[in-house]
Amino acid sequence: QVQLVESGGGSVQAGGSLRLSCVASGVTYSRYCMGWFRQAPGKEREAVATIYIGDGTTYYADSTKGRFTISQDNAKNTLYLQMNSLKPEDTAMYYCAAERCGGWLITSPREYNYWGQGTQVTVSS
């Protein structure tokens, strides 16, 4: 049974940084894709960054390229999202997700079936 637990959200001023963590259990790491997604009030859930654990291939949304970094620590079964140069428009609930994938990276939230409870990120101007 896959369980995902996020932490690290909070409130920061624009230009600040946060690091989100997602501890995963029940994930056969090399056969999974994992990702960070976010959802702001009144908006659809969108991909922030995803990674294919098997080979480290990553995807970033255009809005986060160059500012956010997704990484994994297999020894700790933990996925990270380093967020730098935060903007007010990054304010959202951030979710960690996991799904089995067969050697290619999946990026749509509709393709992920395992989700954490979410952690709130608020960026003030």
Side-chain angles (χ1 to χ4, degrees):
Q1 185 175 355
V2 175
Q3 289 189 318
L4 306 171
V5 180
E6 305 102 329
S7 61
S11 298
V12 295
Q13 290 191 325
S17 298
L18 284 172
R19 188 176 80 157
L20 306 183
S21 299
C22 173
V23 178
S25 60
V27 171
T28 307
Y29 247 51
S30 63
R31 298 174 183 266
Y32 273 75
C33 290
M34 296 188 71
W36 290 97
F37 299 81
R38 66 187 181 188
Q39 189 166 18
K43 294 189 176 181
E44 291 188 356
R45 191 167 297 189
E46 62 177 1
V48 173
T50 63
I51 185 168
Y52 172 47
I53 302 299
D55 64 7
T57 301
T58 57
Y59 160 85
Y60 290 93
D62 287 344
S63 59
T64 64
K65 282 180 184 175
R67 299 189 298 123
F68 291 10
T69 302
I70 189 170
S71 63
Q72 62 196 72
D73 184 333
N74 291 348
K76 296 182 178 179
N77 290 345
T78 302
L79 184 74
Y80 299 102
L81 184 69
Q82 178 66 44
M83 304 186 293
N84 298 328
S85 303
L86 282 161
K87 304 175 181 179
E89 51 264 44
D90 294 318
T91 295
M93 184 71 79
Y94 283 69
Y95 297 91
C96 173
E99 184 54 64
R100 297 178 187 86
C101 56
W104 59 89
L105 183 57
I106 53 176
T107 61
S108 170
R110 289 183 290 274
E111 296 183 89
Y112 284 79
N113 287 304
Y114 301 105
W115 293 88
Q117 81 287 352
T119 185
Q120 178 68 37
V121 172
T122 302
V123 184
S124 58
S125 57

